[in-house]
Amino acid sequence: MIGGGPAGLTAAIHLRRMGRGVRLVDAGASRAQRIARAFNVAGYPEGVVGGHLLERMRQHLRAADGHVTYDSVEEVRRCPDHKFLVRLKHGTMLARSVILCTGAADPAIDLSGIDAVASAGLLRIHSRLGVEELAGKRVGVLDSPSGVSCSASLRDMCPKSRIIALDSTDSKSNRHPPPACLDRLPGVARRVAIVEIHEPH
């Protein structure tokens, strides 16, 4: 099993409960680690922090006698005996079957200060995750194909939200702003910082 996010862990747990031998390879790059709080996970009506969810799922897998190898996969090769040779950064493995649960990769955000925003739990990589907690708030949607496509779902819940153009944004995306979505702030963002704002009463 390659991929230690929610999908890979769920598959590994089910396979162990079916009596299959499972070794999950986790490079530690799951997108779930960057979710400040997800509200669409069954059993967590108050939401759950992404990192906490992953650790709970790892505990579940260990309780089912599943194994997690913390490493990255360099190559997967089919052997003459139809097994798979999995070459890791720090070793090799043989497997009868390989399941890929690597998910999608988030695009890099070329914006000064974005790492501090992410560390503070203020960055949502995909705005459909935990939209409920944003209700009524002023949200900035970074101008990208994924961000713009999600702006329609935020329009009614967060009417004060706006699309923010990035310095590296392809100019073609600015020629055809999506209809009936969020308004675009004038100008281009080149830096982001965390500041404390006191709203007037």
Side-chain angles (χ1 to χ4, degrees):
M1 186 81 57
I2 301 174
L9 286 163
T10 298
I13 291 168
H14 280 278
L15 286 171
R16 274 303 305 146
R17 290 177 60 81
M18 293 170 62
R20 304 296 179 88
V22 174
R23 183 173 293 276
L24 184 146
V25 180
D26 181 11
S30 172
R31 298 170 77 239
Q33 292 180 145
R34 302 184 69 178
I35 298 175
R37 188 169 293 273
F39 291 87
N40 57 352
V41 180
Y44 292 93
E46 302 301 321
V48 58
V49 176
H52 175 73
L53 174 65
L54 290 175
E55 182 52 35
R56 290 284 293 169
M57 295 183 76
R58 293 185 198 109
Q59 291 174 7
H60 192 160
L61 177 59
R62 288 193 290 267
D65 292 327
H67 301 282
V68 178
T69 297
Y70 295 98
D71 208 335
S72 58
V73 176
E74 303 283 327
E75 181 185 19
V76 178
R77 182 183 301 173
R78 192 74 177 263
C79 300
D81 60 359
H82 302 295
K83 291 183 180 180
F84 291 92
L85 175 66
V86 182
R87 186 166 63 86
L88 308 176
K89 187 174 182 179
H90 301 101
T92 58
M93 296 168 48
L94 276 177
R96 286 181 296 176
S97 302
V98 174
I99 300 177
L100 299 178
C101 296
T102 53
D106 294 316
I109 301 174
D110 186 16
L111 187 60
S112 176
I114 198 68
D115 290 339
V117 173
S119 298
L122 300 174
L123 178 67
R124 303 294 185 273
I125 296 300
H126 200 294
S127 60
R128 289 192 184 98
L129 297 175
V131 171
E132 298 87 351
E133 68 169 316
L134 301 177
K137 295 182 179 180
R138 185 181 291 111
V139 178
V141 181
L142 298 180
D143 191 2
S144 66
S146 60
V148 171
S149 67
C150 294
S151 63
S153 62
L154 285 169
R155 185 182 61 247
D156 297 330
M157 191 169 292
C158 308
K160 296 180 180 179
S161 301
R162 299 291 182 268
I163 293 177
I164 302 171
L166 297 177
D167 191 24
S168 59
T169 300
D170 188 341
S171 59
K172 292 181 180 179
S173 66
N174 293 325
R175 296 176 189 172
H176 306 287
C181 291
L182 301 176
D183 292 333
R184 188 184 301 272
L185 286 176
V188 172
R190 292 184 174 85
R191 182 175 180 275
V192 63
I194 300 174
V195 297
E196 186 174 347
I197 299 177
H198 299 284
E199 296 282 355
H201 296 290

